């Protein structure tokens, strides 16, 4: 009896999976390995456990990334996307250094930049975001989400690769932070744990499906501080420059520059 049940389940599962167009097995692992080697190339003295040279890290990263992208597109596009990303790594490294400086200047507990690179979960999440964002704007499929979800799994910080985030960005503590796909965040913004920059609601098409590709998330200006537990929602919501959003505030409307918004008691 059990053999018949096993055979029946096997045949049905094979029939269901026969419609799959791509074999994704190992793709996530290859992308994660590529990102780890990108990290090692950008910070070879900090996140390079095998002590590889920058050249070795770049070689392995480019091979794994190109192979992964080729499975989703084609060999020519994969090579072009990979070369373009690798050429952007010095720029990404320079921007990440501004994030390190923001963390060092913004957290009195930070003893030095090395501590931020090695011990702060936000740095891992922001590093993954900045690499993934470059691929996202190239319209590389799936790979950007795998990179940011890898960091999400490690840190509890969920940054969509489609978000646009300026320099000197700092997430303090970090656990539970969510930043949606169409969010824009200016320069020198500091966010604390459990902050959500999300969608207020979703437009629905006549067939009942969600409308995709529209602005759903807020815009945050420069020099903004958002304290723990704040929730800011909606594609029309704009937080002006130099604002302070207090802890546990719920916002679905815009705030003019220079304002302080506190939770009503």
């Amino acid at each position: 009896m059990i053999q018949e049940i096993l055979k029946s389940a096997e045949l049905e599962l094979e029939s269901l999976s026969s419609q799959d167009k791509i074999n994704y097995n190992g793709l996530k692992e290859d992308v994660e390995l590529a990102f780890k080697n990108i990290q090692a190339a950008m910070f070879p003295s900090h996140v390079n456990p095998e002590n590889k040279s920058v050249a070795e890290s770049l070689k392995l990263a480019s091979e794994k990334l190109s192979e992964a992208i080729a499975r989703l597109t084609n060999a020519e596009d994969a090579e072009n996307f990979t070369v373009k990303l690798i050429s952007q790594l010095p720029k990404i490294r320079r921007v990440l250094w501004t994030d390190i400086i923001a963390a060092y200047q913004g957290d009195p507990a930070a003893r030095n930049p090395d501590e931020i690179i090695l011990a702060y979960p936000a740095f891992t999440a922001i590093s993954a975001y900045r690499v993934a964002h470059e691929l996202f704007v190239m319209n590389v499929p799936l790979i950007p989400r795998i990179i940011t979800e890898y960091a999400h799994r490690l840190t509890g910080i969920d940054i969509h690769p489609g978000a646009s985030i300026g320099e000197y960005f700092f997430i303090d503590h970090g656990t539970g932070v969510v930043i949606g796909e169409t969010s824009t965040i200016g320069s020198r913004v500091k966010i604390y744990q459990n902050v959500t920059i999300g969608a207020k609601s979703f437009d629905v098409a006549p067939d009942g499906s969600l409308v995709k590709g529209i602005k759903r998330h807020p815009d945050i200006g420069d020099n903004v501080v958002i304290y723990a537990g704040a929730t800011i929602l909606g594609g029309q919501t704009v937080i002006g420059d130099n604002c302070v959003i207090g802890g546990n505030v719920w916002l679905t409307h815009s705030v003019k520059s220079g304002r302080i918004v506190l939770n009503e008691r």
Side-chain angles (χ1 to χ4, degrees), residues 134-214:
E134 294 297 325
L135 293 169
F136 185 89
V137 298
M138 297 179 210
N139 293 316
V140 174
L142 186 55
I143 306 295
R145 287 303 300 272
I146 292 176
I147 294 173
T148 53
E149 288 304 321
Y150 167 70
H152 184 193
R153 187 170 77 243
L154 291 178
T155 67
I157 298 169
D158 183 2
I159 308 176
H160 194 286
S164 178
I165 301 176
E167 298 181 350
Y168 295 93
F169 182 53
F170 178 36
I171 302 174
D172 201 355
H173 305 293
T175 305
V177 166
V178 176
I179 300 173
E181 177 187 12
T182 61
S183 305
T184 65
I185 297 176
S187 297
R188 299 185 182 276
V189 170
K190 181 178 182 179
I191 294 176
Y192 286 83
Q193 68 272 19
N194 289 320
V195 165
T196 296
I197 301 175
K200 180 181 178 182
S201 60
F202 303 102
D203 291 345
V204 179
D207 64 359
S209 63
L210 295 181
V211 177
K212 299 180 183 292
I214 61 173

